[in-house]
Amino acid sequence: MKKYPIEQGEDPAQQKRLDFASLSNKETQVKRLEFSEEQLSFALDAARMVFWDWNLQTGKASWSSNFVHLYGLDVDSQEKSYEAFLSTVHPEDRQLIEQDAQKSLQSKRDSSVEYRIILPDGKIRWIRSQYKFFYDEQGNPVKKTGIDIDITERKLAEIKIKDGLKEKEVLLQEIHHRVKNNLQVVSSLLDLQSMHIDSPTLLEVFRDFQNRVKAMAIVHQQLYESNNLSQINLAVYIRSLTENLFQVYSIVPAKVSLILDLDNVSLKIDAAISCGLIINELINNAIKHAFNESTQGVIKLSLTKDESKNITLIVGDNGIGLPENWELPNSHPLEFQLVNALVQQLEGTIEYNCYCGTKFCIRIPCD
Ligand SMILES: Nc1ncnc2c1ncn2[C@@H]1O[C@H](COP(=O)(O)OP(=O)(O)O)[C@@H](O)[C@H]1O
Ligand SMILES: [Mg+2]
């Protein structure tokens, strides 16, 4: 049963004020009180808000007249008690309310909790309850008072957004899976095609291309398997990448060993793919060119991130070193142009030295 303060007339508020003037003092006070109550009731209804108060010693409750309406309680037959309230709460959320109350009691702080109630027609309504306990002089809780508000619309919107996001994540994961599969098909096609090639030089070219395709496929595989669809853990990526290269060239540790020293660095997909392709070229070169038969080869790869979040990537080997007059930008046709282009794309720098084998140092700024 709702009470609204404005019932009739063009300006009922003015009307009521005029009425007050003609009443006795006591009657005026009663009327004013009734009027305030009506206003409060109107405001609470408009805000879909109720208030309540539980006497923890008697177990009795009092609540605003619109409480039964919000909670779908039977207006006449329900006694005002905590049990009557709890009977409306979704069974899965009852414990949550209890736990939150315990926490509030322990910390002696006001608290709020969100839960579902089930209306008589089976519909779910979401409630946010903000409450506080009051204590006697000995510090024992004597009553609990709160304000509840209907947050169903907000909750449903949140659930819709969450479901939509989840759906998009699943789709994105599926796309990464497909991209990885497609790249694998490209790699197999290159493999098939290479079976008809006799020239070792051409075969080498095919193998290099396969490795590049594989380097990109690993990124998509990693994204498909991870929970984070926008960032790649570079250390994990480098491990898979180098493992693949050592497998392709059937390298055994007795001949060439690989030492990895990798910080935990995460990069966006594009930057990770560029880094992967750079590493692929440099390790590929070390495996192919650095060592002669008698060398016990060592390839070292370190990845560090400094305080300003810049990344340093060092790829070194203890091999024969670069040919004399070797210069970075104009050296060999494709591969170093590719490395240079990728470094530039990352707005990084590349340096090298051949004091003891070959060492490339790449610095990449990160934001
Ligand atoms: N780590 C290395 N150790 C020794 N020589 C290297 C190394 N990396 C590159 N080179 C030399 O630089 C040349 C150019 O390399 P690159 O541009 O990658 O072409 P490719 O690998 O097809 O020969 C190689 O042929 C090789 O002589
Ligand atoms: Mg090369």
Side-chain angles (χ1 to χ4, degrees), residues 24 33 54 70 80 84 94 114 168 171 182 216 224 248 274 298 303-304 326 344-345 366:
S24 73
L33 202 60
W54 271 292
L70 185 76
K80 293 180 179 175
R94 286 178 194 167
E114 292 180 4
K168 278 200 184 109
L171 273 175
N182 288 347
M216 291 197 269
Y224 168 66
V248 168
S274 299
V298 179
L303 170 72
T304 47
W326 193 94
Q344 270 174 29
Q345 201 178 310
C366 272

Side-chain angles (χ1 to χ4, degrees), residues 38-95:
E38 283 172 353
Q39 278 184 314
L40 179 64
S41 160
F42 182 59
L44 286 174
D45 267 2
R48 300 192 62 73
M49 191 186 265
V50 301
F51 65 76
W52 48 264
D53 188 274
W54 271 292
N55 184 324
L56 301 173
Q57 280 151 349
T58 63
K60 292 250 164 69
S62 61
W63 48 50
S64 56
S65 58
N66 58 350
F67 188 95
V68 282
H69 177 65
L70 185 76
Y71 277 85
L73 290 168
D74 189 334
V75 180
D76 303 317
S77 68
Q78 281 292 347
E79 57 156 323
K80 293 180 179 175
S81 68
Y82 183 69
E83 286 65 37
F85 149 75
L86 207 60
S87 68
T88 67
V89 176
H90 194 297
E92 284 172 18
D93 293 353
R94 286 178 194 167
Q95 214 183 349

